[in-house]
Amino acid sequence: MQQGLIHIYEGNGKGKTTAGVGLALRCAGHGFPVVYSQFLKDGSSGEIGLLRQIPQITVMVNENSFGFTFRMNEEQKKEATSSYETLLESVIRQTVSDGCRLLVLDEVLDACNCGMVSTERLVDFLKQKPEELEVVMTGRNPAQELVELADYITYMKKIKHPFDRGIYAREGIEH
């Protein structure tokens, strides 16, 4: 069995989630079990429906929409934090029990940054993960402890983006 490594796809550019989805497809295409999870998203983006159709991929998302963290009041933040921490624990249990080859934690870096997921818990899991498990984390500004554990770090830099001109996420392209 191959040694599983840790990836971070980060930055302010487009492509972090897409890279995680691509690796999930590659791994599943070789017949390996995959868990694909999303944090701070509601599971409604186009790739989620397709990933759910692939027998080797288990999709785990929080289907409650909490919206942007900066718009939440304290009670909403507590509810969202509890929900995302529960999701992380469920994802960890599922990944280990299924003997997965790949775990994608989409937007987990941002969930850690806004206090919705414990960075310490994530670090603890990564230090004790099954040896063959490959882990992908996406988002922005990873904590130094996560950077130190990573084997791959890819920074996606925005040079130009339609959002800067007021063009929001378009179905089938960004959503």
Side-chain angles (χ1 to χ4, degrees):
M1 184 61 72
Q2 307 180 91
Q3 177 185 0
L5 302 177
I6 298 171
H7 306 235
I8 291 177
Y9 303 151
E10 69 128 335
N12 63 1
K14 180 176 169 17
K16 298 176 291 291
T17 296
T18 304
V21 168
L23 194 54
L25 291 173
R26 177 178 288 159
C27 192
H30 283 280
F32 294 110
V34 173
V35 169
Y36 186 93
S37 62
Q38 281 189 332
F39 296 82
L40 306 180
K41 295 179 178 178
D42 64 4
S44 66
S45 57
E47 68 273 12
I48 295 299
L50 193 56
L51 290 174
R52 284 188 166 133
Q53 296 177 37
I54 301 170
Q56 294 83 358
I57 300 178
T58 299
V59 174
M60 300 180 74
V61 298
N62 183 335
E63 299 191 12
N64 296 327
S65 181
F66 293 105
F68 293 109
T69 56
F70 61 85
R71 292 186 180 155
M72 291 181 197
N73 63 37
E74 287 308 308
E75 187 164 321
Q76 290 168 321
K77 285 180 183 178
K78 284 181 186 176
E79 181 183 350
T81 298
S82 175
S83 186
Y84 289 123
E85 286 179 347
T86 299
L87 176 61
L88 179 62
E89 293 306 322
S90 297
V91 164
I92 289 170
R93 277 193 306 279
Q94 185 79 39
T95 299
V96 173
S97 71
D98 286 358
C100 286
R101 178 72 179 97
L102 174 65
L103 168 60
V104 178
L105 299 164
D106 187 33
E107 296 295 344
V108 77
L109 300 176
D110 293 305
C112 288
N113 291 337
C114 67
M116 302 281 170
V117 169
S118 165
T119 301
E120 294 76 25
R121 176 63 180 112
L122 186 55
V123 166
D124 181 55
F125 167 69
L126 293 172
K127 287 180 176 178
Q128 298 180 38
K129 72 174 186 62
E131 187 176 335
E132 67 281 356
L133 179 64
E134 199 90 2
V135 179
V136 170
M137 298 176 285
T138 74
R140 293 177 177 83
N141 305 314
Q144 188 58 38
E145 308 96 276
L146 296 172
V147 167
E148 290 169 9
L149 289 171
D151 299 290
Y152 294 89
I153 298 178
T154 301
Y155 185 82
M156 297 175 182
K157 180 180 179 184
K158 177 185 81 161
I159 305 298
K160 188 176 184 180
H161 196 290
F163 183 80
D164 299 333
R165 296 189 334 238
I167 300 172
Y168 296 99
R170 298 164 299 144
E171 187 175 7
I173 305 299
E174 292 92 12
H175 177 66

